[in-house]
Amino acid sequence: MLSGKVHSGDLLVTGVGTIGIPMLIKNEIPIYFKDGNIIWFKNNNTINGYFLYYSFSSKNIRNFIKASAGTGTVVTYTIENGKKTPIILPSNQVEQREIGLCFHQLDYLISLYQKKIDRLNSIKQSFLQQMFI
């Protein structure tokens, strides 16, 4: 049986059920995934990994995946549809890297603020329980 190893910058996208959810490979640690359920975009560092990852959050690609999935009991995003996915690339790698990094940093800031909000909610709940015993 022929198999491969994912590399940093590759993208895995769910292809069955809840389709179109991307996962960026950020390191060289081997992982197992079932080929029939995942579309593997082997990148070979031709596209900035973060740019590729965030492209799958764009309305253009989300609409393409939804339209190409068809209807039925279980919707699918196939390898053939994966090859046709309209990924619009900036003219150079530097621009790709800057765009990908910008969205990555925004996600990081959002996660920091979410942690802060979660802590504040926890403190609020603690105060409410203490006050109304």
Side-chain angles (χ1 to χ4, degrees), residues 4 8 19 28 31 34 57 65 103 119-121 125:
S8 181
I19 60 173
E28 298 294 319
I31 64 168
K34 189 173 177 176
S57 295
I65 291 171
F103 283 112
R119 277 193 305 247
L120 289 171
N121 277 327
Q125 290 301 316

Side-chain angles (χ1 to χ4, degrees), residues 4-8 10-12 25 27-31 33 40:
K5 179 181 178 283
V6 295
H7 296 283
S8 181
D10 286 356
L11 190 72
L12 304 178
I25 303 300
N27 53 48
E28 298 294 319
I29 297 172
I31 64 168
F33 60 94
W40 179 6

Side-chain angles (χ1 to χ4, degrees), residues 76-95:
T76 58
Y77 175 53
T78 65
I79 292 171
E80 284 307 310
N81 289 333
K83 291 176 183 178
K84 297 174 188 173
T85 303
I87 300 170
I88 300 170
L89 297 174
S91 57
N92 62 58
Q93 283 269 342
V94 174
E95 192 173 350

